[in-house]
Amino acid sequence: HGWDPACTASKSWISQMGVDKLEDKDTQPFYNVLVADGSNRYAAQENLLPIEPEPVSHPEVGRYFESYQARVGYLPNQELAKLYPDDRQVLWQGGGQEG
């Protein structure tokens, strides 16, 4: 539900989470992620893999998104769309990695 072009967390958080051990350290995009287990995460781009969109049961989904579309995922609400006007929705084309 949003992202930063580089990590905006405190130096102590960066050290505690091992961000300084990542290849691109704190200079890569970091994403605010709503996780299916109900938690929120601040994740480095290199730690994320594309997956086929699927609905997620999370108490904050309605706070940021107006609807869900298969092969696209969640569509941002007006407030989120204004915060990230250059982001666009794309159709899922496959290509995620299975691990």
mmCIF file of all heavy atoms in Angstrom, residues 34-40 56-65 74:
data_model
loop_
_atom_site.group_PDB
_atom_site.id
_atom_site.type_symbol
_atom_site.label_atom_id
_atom_site.label_comp_id
_atom_site.label_asym_id
_atom_site.label_seq_id
_atom_site.Cartn_x
_atom_site.Cartn_y
_atom_site.Cartn_z
ATOM 1 N N LEU A 34 0.831 -5.362 2.952
ATOM 2 C CA LEU A 34 -0.198 -5.969 3.797
ATOM 3 C C LEU A 34 -0.092 -7.476 3.605
ATOM 4 O O LEU A 34 -0.295 -7.981 2.504
ATOM 5 C CB LEU A 34 -1.597 -5.485 3.387
ATOM 6 C CG LEU A 34 -1.838 -3.978 3.435
ATOM 7 C CD1 LEU A 34 -3.247 -3.655 2.960
ATOM 8 C CD2 LEU A 34 -1.581 -3.428 4.815
ATOM 9 N N VAL A 35 0.236 -8.190 4.651
ATOM 10 C CA VAL A 35 0.494 -9.623 4.569
ATOM 11 C C VAL A 35 -0.760 -10.406 4.946
ATOM 12 O O VAL A 35 -1.537 -9.979 5.805
ATOM 13 C CB VAL A 35 1.682 -10.004 5.487
ATOM 14 C CG1 VAL A 35 2.035 -11.464 5.352
ATOM 15 C CG2 VAL A 35 2.891 -9.133 5.163
ATOM 16 N N ALA A 36 -0.954 -11.548 4.312
ATOM 17 C CA ALA A 36 -2.154 -12.368 4.538
ATOM 18 C C ALA A 36 -2.338 -12.764 5.997
ATOM 19 O O ALA A 36 -3.459 -13.002 6.436
ATOM 20 C CB ALA A 36 -2.116 -13.616 3.657
ATOM 21 N N ASP A 37 -1.262 -12.800 6.783
ATOM 22 C CA ASP A 37 -1.405 -13.165 8.198
ATOM 23 C C ASP A 37 -1.903 -12.002 9.055
ATOM 24 O O ASP A 37 -1.987 -12.109 10.272
ATOM 25 C CB ASP A 37 -0.091 -13.724 8.755
ATOM 26 C CG ASP A 37 1.030 -12.692 8.837
ATOM 27 O OD1 ASP A 37 0.810 -11.489 8.573
ATOM 28 O OD2 ASP A 37 2.166 -13.095 9.171
ATOM 29 N N GLY A 38 -2.209 -10.859 8.410
ATOM 30 C CA GLY A 38 -2.737 -9.698 9.121
ATOM 31 C C GLY A 38 -1.679 -8.708 9.551
ATOM 32 O O GLY A 38 -2.004 -7.651 10.086
ATOM 33 N N SER A 39 -0.412 -9.013 9.303
ATOM 34 C CA SER A 39 0.659 -8.098 9.684
ATOM 35 C C SER A 39 0.959 -7.118 8.545
ATOM 36 O O SER A 39 0.497 -7.285 7.418
ATOM 37 C CB SER A 39 1.922 -8.885 10.051
ATOM 38 O OG SER A 39 2.436 -9.558 8.918
ATOM 39 N N ASN A 40 1.731 -6.104 8.871
ATOM 40 C CA ASN A 40 2.226 -5.140 7.894
ATOM 41 C C ASN A 40 3.743 -5.263 7.879
ATOM 42 O O ASN A 40 4.357 -5.397 8.931
ATOM 43 C CB ASN A 40 1.848 -3.714 8.281
ATOM 44 C CG ASN A 40 0.356 -3.496 8.305
ATOM 45 O OD1 ASN A 40 -0.411 -4.341 7.889
ATOM 46 N ND2 ASN A 40 -0.058 -2.362 8.810
ATOM 47 N N VAL A 56 -6.467 -11.083 -0.564
ATOM 48 C CA VAL A 56 -5.828 -11.252 0.735
ATOM 49 C C VAL A 56 -6.804 -10.829 1.818
ATOM 50 O O VAL A 56 -7.461 -9.796 1.700
ATOM 51 C CB VAL A 56 -4.552 -10.391 0.827
ATOM 52 C CG1 VAL A 56 -3.930 -10.480 2.207
ATOM 53 C CG2 VAL A 56 -3.547 -10.795 -0.227
ATOM 54 N N SER A 57 -6.899 -11.631 2.843
ATOM 55 C CA SER A 57 -7.734 -11.278 3.980
ATOM 56 C C SER A 57 -6.865 -10.494 4.959
ATOM 57 O O SER A 57 -6.039 -11.069 5.666
ATOM 58 C CB SER A 57 -8.294 -12.541 4.633
ATOM 59 O OG SER A 57 -9.047 -12.193 5.771
ATOM 60 N N HIS A 58 -7.030 -9.182 4.964
ATOM 61 C CA HIS A 58 -6.257 -8.310 5.847
ATOM 62 C C HIS A 58 -7.176 -7.184 6.302
ATOM 63 O O HIS A 58 -7.901 -6.612 5.482
ATOM 64 C CB HIS A 58 -5.041 -7.743 5.106
ATOM 65 C CG HIS A 58 -4.076 -7.024 5.999
ATOM 66 N ND1 HIS A 58 -4.336 -5.774 6.509
ATOM 67 C CD2 HIS A 58 -2.856 -7.386 6.476
ATOM 68 C CE1 HIS A 58 -3.320 -5.394 7.262
ATOM 69 N NE2 HIS A 58 -2.403 -6.360 7.256
ATOM 70 N N PRO A 59 -7.159 -6.828 7.571
ATOM 71 C CA PRO A 59 -8.096 -5.824 8.066
ATOM 72 C C PRO A 59 -7.928 -4.431 7.462
ATOM 73 O O PRO A 59 -8.855 -3.626 7.522
ATOM 74 C CB PRO A 59 -7.839 -5.795 9.580
ATOM 75 C CG PRO A 59 -6.506 -6.426 9.782
ATOM 76 C CD PRO A 59 -6.315 -7.376 8.637
ATOM 77 N N GLU A 60 -6.802 -4.130 6.833
ATOM 78 C CA GLU A 60 -6.575 -2.796 6.282
ATOM 79 C C GLU A 60 -6.747 -2.697 4.771
ATOM 80 O O GLU A 60 -6.529 -1.627 4.201
ATOM 81 C CB GLU A 60 -5.186 -2.304 6.678
ATOM 82 C CG GLU A 60 -5.048 -2.088 8.177
ATOM 83 C CD GLU A 60 -3.701 -1.506 8.552
ATOM 84 O OE1 GLU A 60 -3.159 -0.692 7.783
ATOM 85 O OE2 GLU A 60 -3.193 -1.884 9.618
ATOM 86 N N VAL A 61 -7.149 -3.766 4.101
ATOM 87 C CA VAL A 61 -7.301 -3.731 2.643
ATOM 88 C C VAL A 61 -8.233 -2.591 2.227
ATOM 89 O O VAL A 61 -7.914 -1.811 1.325
ATOM 90 C CB VAL A 61 -7.801 -5.085 2.094
ATOM 91 C CG1 VAL A 61 -8.275 -4.962 0.658
ATOM 92 C CG2 VAL A 61 -6.694 -6.126 2.180
ATOM 93 N N GLY A 62 -9.367 -2.461 2.879
ATOM 94 C CA GLY A 62 -10.330 -1.419 2.522
ATOM 95 C C GLY A 62 -9.852 -0.006 2.791
ATOM 96 O O GLY A 62 -10.396 0.951 2.248
ATOM 97 N N ARG A 63 -8.837 0.140 3.585
ATOM 98 C CA ARG A 63 -8.275 1.463 3.884
ATOM 99 C C ARG A 63 -7.507 2.037 2.696
ATOM 100 O O ARG A 63 -7.401 3.251 2.542
ATOM 101 C CB ARG A 63 -7.356 1.346 5.094
ATOM 102 C CG ARG A 63 -6.719 2.616 5.528
ATOM 103 C CD ARG A 63 -5.923 2.393 6.793
ATOM 104 N NE ARG A 63 -5.227 3.601 7.173
ATOM 105 C CZ ARG A 63 -4.354 3.679 8.147
ATOM 106 N NH1 ARG A 63 -4.078 2.610 8.867
ATOM 107 N NH2 ARG A 63 -3.752 4.803 8.428
ATOM 108 N N TYR A 64 -6.955 1.170 1.848
ATOM 109 C CA TYR A 64 -6.104 1.600 0.750
ATOM 110 C C TYR A 64 -6.626 1.259 -0.644
ATOM 111 O O TYR A 64 -6.212 1.882 -1.620
ATOM 112 C CB TYR A 64 -4.708 0.979 0.899
ATOM 113 C CG TYR A 64 -4.064 1.297 2.215
ATOM 114 C CD1 TYR A 64 -4.018 0.364 3.246
ATOM 115 C CD2 TYR A 64 -3.521 2.555 2.447
ATOM 116 C CE1 TYR A 64 -3.424 0.667 4.464
ATOM 117 C CE2 TYR A 64 -2.928 2.868 3.663
ATOM 118 C CZ TYR A 64 -2.892 1.924 4.666
ATOM 119 O OH TYR A 64 -2.313 2.225 5.873
ATOM 120 N N PHE A 65 -7.504 0.266 -0.722
ATOM 121 C CA PHE A 65 -7.917 -0.232 -2.033
ATOM 122 C C PHE A 65 -9.432 -0.215 -2.172
ATOM 123 O O PHE A 65 -10.157 -0.456 -1.217
ATOM 124 C CB PHE A 65 -7.386 -1.653 -2.241
ATOM 125 C CG PHE A 65 -5.888 -1.717 -2.102
ATOM 126 C CD1 PHE A 65 -5.301 -2.165 -0.933
ATOM 127 C CD2 PHE A 65 -5.067 -1.303 -3.131
ATOM 128 C CE1 PHE A 65 -3.923 -2.206 -0.784
ATOM 129 C CE2 PHE A 65 -3.685 -1.335 -2.998
ATOM 130 C CZ PHE A 65 -3.117 -1.788 -1.825
ATOM 131 N N TYR A 74 -5.299 -5.606 -6.519
ATOM 132 C CA TYR A 74 -6.083 -4.566 -5.850
ATOM 133 C C TYR A 74 -5.922 -3.235 -6.563
ATOM 134 O O TYR A 74 -4.819 -2.845 -6.943
ATOM 135 C CB TYR A 74 -5.658 -4.431 -4.393
ATOM 136 C CG TYR A 74 -6.175 -5.563 -3.555
ATOM 137 C CD1 TYR A 74 -5.394 -6.664 -3.276
ATOM 138 C CD2 TYR A 74 -7.483 -5.533 -3.074
ATOM 139 C CE1 TYR A 74 -5.879 -7.716 -2.521
ATOM 140 C CE2 TYR A 74 -7.980 -6.587 -2.327
ATOM 141 C CZ TYR A 74 -7.174 -7.666 -2.053
ATOM 142 O OH TYR A 74 -7.670 -8.701 -1.315
#
